[in-house]
Amino acid sequence: MDVTTVASWQQLPRAAHLPGTVVVIDLLRATSTVVAALASGAREVVPVAEVAQAQECARPGDLLAGERGGLPIPGFDLSNSPREAHVAPLAGRRVILTTTNGTRAVRRAVRAGAQRILLTALLNVSATARAVEGTQRLTLLCAGTAGQASLDDLFCAGALLHRLAPREVDDLGLAARELYAAHRDHPVDYLSLCAHGRRLLQLGLVQDLEFCCREDALPLVAAYVDGSVGRA
Ligand code: MLT
């Protein structure tokens, strides 16, 4: 397995082609929210880029979810909170999700023609690692923040790489694996230091941060197929 790590979805050129499997990572919080929603029984989560697109594609019975600036979107049913998604009555429901970076990262992976697209968080990291074993070309597409690397996403990428035995890993992947190994025993404290972690704390969302750090609490594989993410 050869691993390439992309620090943010904006760093992937619009014309980029990604062979093989792409794992999208937005630990804080979009991919954590998707995993929590599927664990709560949501039938599928539809990742869209824009608020207006979410409203347009919602059908009766669907739930609208998302954030802008980390805050709930007025008129939407749910925010982008994995904790909220985990307790919400989502059984059998379709959730339309739009977030600043995470859902856009998924859209970019689709545009890049990836053969297989999975979404991971720490909540399901071992299940994702098992699902990608044997893959020859693996891209870890971090959502990032404002076009820059996000420590939280790299930490999650490192957690995934820690569980794999790749033949080749790029330098960013190596760094991610190192930082995960160094801080895996105190993820909440560590991720409270990074920009996104600090922002969640400022917004009073420390419990979301704690929830996102629950490694392997929701052991499912989240796969994007034909426009939506469901359990593989
Ligand atoms: C994003 O997509 O940028 C994030 O998930 C933002 C957030 O913390 O809700």
Side-chain angles (χ1 to χ4, degrees):
M1 174 191 295
D2 294 349
V3 179
T4 304
T5 312
V6 182
S8 86
W9 65 273
Q10 287 102 326
Q11 291 182 16
L12 204 60
R14 289 178 81 79
H17 175 69
L18 293 178
T21 296
V22 175
V23 176
V24 179
I25 300 171
D26 185 11
L27 178 68
L28 304 177
R29 294 167 291 173
T31 52
S32 298
T33 297
V34 170
V35 171
L38 294 177
S40 292
R43 191 174 78 243
E44 53 188 338
V45 179
V46 181
V48 301
E50 305 296 338
V51 171
Q53 284 175 324
Q55 288 162 328
E56 276 160 25
C57 82
R59 300 191 293 249
D62 289 349
L63 293 168
L64 287 169
E67 60 71 38
R68 283 299 179 267
L71 298 171
I73 298 170
F76 275 34
D77 304 290
L78 300 164
S79 69
N80 179 34
S81 165
R83 208 165 34 98
E84 187 184 15
H86 193 229
V87 294
L90 300 183
R93 308 288 292 272
R94 198 169 80 124
V95 177
I96 318 294
L97 177 68
T98 179
T99 73
T100 310
N101 294 289
T103 57
R104 289 171 175 158
V106 177
R107 301 307 317 171
R108 188 54 66 90
V110 175
R111 189 187 176 101
Q115 280 157 15
R116 185 164 68 137
I117 301 172
L118 303 180
L119 280 66
T120 202
L122 287 175
L123 293 166
N124 66 332
V125 66
S126 290
T128 304
R130 284 192 292 276
V132 300
E133 265 168 24
T135 300
Q136 292 198 348
R137 303 282 298 270
L138 177 65
T139 301
L140 305 181
L141 177 55
C142 297
T145 303
Q148 304 297 319
S150 243
L151 197 65
D152 44 292
D153 294 338
L154 292 176
F155 185 81
C156 187
L160 184 64
L161 288 170
H162 182 80
R163 289 159 168 80
L164 298 171
R167 192 179 62 143
E168 291 283 345
V169 185
D170 60 358
D171 283 4
L172 189 58
L174 288 175
R177 197 164 59 186
E178 292 293 320
L179 71 87
Y180 171 75
H183 300 286
R184 57 187 291 210
D185 293 338
H186 50 278
V188 176
D189 289 343
Y190 183 57
L191 296 180
S192 296
L193 300 174
C194 72
H196 204 142
R198 290 200 309 274
R199 188 155 64 88
L200 290 180
L201 297 186
Q202 281 161 8
L203 293 172
L205 295 169
V206 64
Q207 288 175 310
D208 267 13
L209 176 61
E210 289 166 352
F211 191 92
C212 291
C213 289
R214 292 173 55 189
E215 228 168 88
D216 292 326
L218 305 174
L220 59 87
V221 177
Y224 177 96
V225 180
D226 292 339
S228 68
V229 184
R231 292 175 81 131

